[in-house]
């Protein structure tokens, strides 16, 4: 392969490995990019994704912001990162410049719902999530949390309860906490106690 094609092939291989959570292959591809194309935008994008994978958000943000020309995927990642940092102004800027077309419509709508959430407009966030259809845990947890924050405790439990037997670790703990808090808010003491007992087993060191 000539150099540009080899670079693109290495970047695409990195992305595939990243999506599959295959760290050894991802690291191998990013090493190729760093060694042979260390100043390229493809390397910076791959490095930023790796930093986000390792929860080094600020360094990833710096790399992505340094790109002279940001593609649609860059804008999407930047919007997500700024939402995670609760920087509503920057998040809104990138949300607005993501193309409003069929390819990006759903992702854009989810971002705007998340933007409403970090601004404290929980009812709007819940309404925005509710018109979308997504079966993933993360989407439905965010929808349920928006419902809880908006005072819709019954809806919060109804949304997230079906996932409880299919998740593990921190996700399971967060879900039991949300269910327990929602039940507590509705004075369903038995249901709240049951969730908190399950939570106490998962988080043994939590006082």
């Amino acid at each position: 392969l000539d150099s540009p094609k080899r670079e693109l092939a290495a970047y695409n291989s990195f992305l595939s490995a990243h999506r599959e959570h295959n760290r050894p292959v991802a690291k191998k591809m990013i090493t190729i990019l760093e060694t042979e194309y260390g100043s390229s935008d493809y390397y910076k994008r791959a490095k930023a994704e790796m930093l986000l994978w390792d929860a080094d958000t600020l360094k990833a943000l710096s790399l992505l912001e340094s790109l002279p020309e940001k593609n649609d995927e860059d804008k999407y990642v930047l919007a997500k990162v700024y939402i995670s940092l609760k920087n509503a102004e920057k998040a809104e800027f990138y949300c607005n410049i993501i193309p409003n077309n069929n390819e990006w419509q759903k992702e854009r709508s989810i971002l705007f719902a998340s933007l409403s959430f970090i601004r404290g407009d929980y009812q709007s966030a819940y309404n925005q999530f509710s018109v979308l259809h997504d079966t993933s845990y993360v989407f439905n947890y965010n929808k349920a949390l928006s419902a809880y924050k908006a005072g819709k405790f019954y809806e919060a439990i109804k949304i997230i309860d079906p996932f409880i037997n299919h998740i593990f670790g921190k996700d399971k703990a967060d879900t039991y906490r949300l269910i327990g808090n929602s039940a507590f808010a509705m004075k369903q003491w038995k249901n709240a106690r049951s969730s908190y007992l399950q939570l106490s087993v998962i988080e043994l060191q939590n006082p």
Side-chain angles (χ1 to χ4, degrees), residues 72 98-109:
D72 294 340
I98 294 170
N100 188 13
N101 56 28
N102 289 337
E103 181 181 357
W104 288 98
Q105 185 177 16
K106 182 178 178 181
E107 286 80 3
R108 199 170 182 270
S109 297

Side-chain angles (χ1 to χ4, degrees), residues 123-165:
Q123 182 63 55
S124 291
Y126 174 69
N127 291 343
Q128 287 169 286
F129 279 122
S130 294
V131 299
L132 301 169
H133 300 285
D134 193 305
T135 59
S136 70
Y137 167 78
V138 172
F139 175 90
N140 282 281
Y141 177 80
N142 289 334
K143 179 180 174 182
L145 187 60
S146 299
Y148 171 78
K149 291 283 192 177
K152 297 179 177 297
F153 308 119
Y154 173 80
E155 288 87 344
I157 294 174
K158 184 178 179 181
I159 293 163
I160 205 61
D161 188 63
F163 291 86
I164 200 68
N165 293 323

Side-chain angles (χ1 to χ4, degrees), residues 11-28:
Y11 178 67
N12 287 334
S13 294
F14 167 81
L15 290 180
S16 296
H18 183 271
R19 283 192 292 267
E20 295 165 5
H21 301 285
N22 187 336
R23 288 186 70 94
V25 174
K27 291 183 77 171
K28 180 181 177 182

Side-chain angles (χ1 to χ4, degrees), residues 30 33 35 39 44 67 75 82 120 129 144 192 195:
I30 206 169
L33 287 165
T35 303
S39 62
K44 290 178 182 178
L67 293 170
K75 298 167 191 173
Y82 279 121
F129 279 122
S195 292

Side-chain angles (χ1 to χ4, degrees), residues 22-199:
N22 187 336
R23 288 186 70 94
V25 174
K27 291 183 77 171
K28 180 181 177 182
M29 292 302 107
I30 206 169
T31 298
I32 292 172
L33 287 165
E34 183 176 18
T35 303
E36 300 183 25
Y37 313 99
S39 62
S40 77
D41 289 351
Y42 283 125
Y43 167 66
K44 290 178 182 178
R45 290 183 176 108
K47 182 65 175 176
E49 288 287 0
M50 204 72 184
L51 288 166
L52 289 172
W53 200 351
D54 294 332
D56 197 340
T57 306
L58 294 180
K59 284 185 180 178
L61 198 59
S62 177
L63 267 178
L64 289 172
E65 285 285 20
S66 74
L67 293 170
E69 291 189 18
K70 298 172 180 63
N71 62 28
D72 294 340
E73 184 68 28
D74 298 331
K75 298 167 191 173
Y76 173 69
V77 173
L78 281 162
K80 283 182 66 177
V81 172
Y82 279 121
I83 284 170
S84 74
L85 295 173
K86 296 180 172 58
N87 186 331
E89 183 178 353
K90 280 281 193 178
E92 183 177 23
F93 171 77
Y94 283 108
C95 285
N96 280 327
I97 62 174
I98 294 170
N100 188 13
N101 56 28
N102 289 337
E103 181 181 357
W104 288 98
Q105 185 177 16
K106 182 178 178 181
E107 286 80 3
R108 199 170 182 270
S109 297
I110 292 173
L111 287 172
F112 274 108
S114 301
L115 183 59
S116 294
F117 185 91
I118 66 169
R119 283 179 164 154
D121 190 352
Y122 304 120
Q123 182 63 55
S124 291
Y126 174 69
N127 291 343
Q128 287 169 286
F129 279 122
S130 294
V131 299
L132 301 169
H133 300 285
D134 193 305
T135 59
S136 70
Y137 167 78
V138 172
F139 175 90
N140 282 281
Y141 177 80
N142 289 334
K143 179 180 174 182
L145 187 60
S146 299
Y148 171 78
K149 291 283 192 177
K152 297 179 177 297
F153 308 119
Y154 173 80
E155 288 87 344
I157 294 174
K158 184 178 179 181
I159 293 163
I160 205 61
D161 188 63
F163 291 86
I164 200 68
N165 293 323
H166 308 286
I167 50 176
F168 305 94
K170 185 180 182 299
D171 289 344
K172 204 174 193 77
D174 288 343
T175 298
Y176 272 125
R177 184 177 290 108
L178 180 54
I179 293 172
N181 289 346
S182 298
F184 190 92
M186 292 189 292
K187 300 183 180 180
Q188 294 179 357
W189 313 124
K190 184 177 179 180
N191 291 340
R193 181 175 183 273
S194 175
S195 292
Y196 292 146
L197 283 172
Q198 294 290 342
L199 181 59

